[in-house]
Amino acid sequence: MLWLGYGIAGGWLHAKLAVVAATVLYHLYCGKLLADFKHERNTRGHVWYRWFNEVPVIFLFAGVILVVVKPF
């Protein structure tokens, strides 16, 4: 819906859509990790999961900054 008001030419919109696509890929990878847990194929430690849990926070901050500031 954003491109109706701003057009598809805004560089910030492309960047925001890239952040959204990265968030979707993160979500799909979380599903793979969940399946690994289900089949007892987990090979990663708890520290890795703690850091991995911070990735969507970075995506959220990037998306909010892109929407509010519209840098390009």
Side-chain angles (χ1 to χ4, degrees):
M1 296 299 291
L2 288 173
W3 64 69
L4 294 176
Y6 293 99
I8 199 73
W12 69 272
L13 182 59
H14 291 113
K16 181 180 181 292
L17 290 174
V19 169
V20 170
T23 305
V24 169
L25 291 174
Y26 175 86
H27 181 74
L28 293 173
Y29 188 67
C30 286
K32 181 211 172 291
L33 292 174
L34 186 62
D36 287 346
F37 269 105
K38 182 179 178 182
H39 299 294
E40 298 180 6
R41 293 183 302 214
N42 179 34
T43 59
R44 302 189 189 276
H46 68 92
V47 175
W48 187 87
Y49 286 105
R50 287 180 187 220
W51 282 103
F52 184 72
N53 187 45
E54 301 305 321
V55 172
V57 175
I58 295 168
F59 291 158
L60 173 69
F61 282 147
V64 169
I65 288 170
L66 285 170
V67 169
V68 173
V69 177
K70 294 182 183 76
F72 28 81

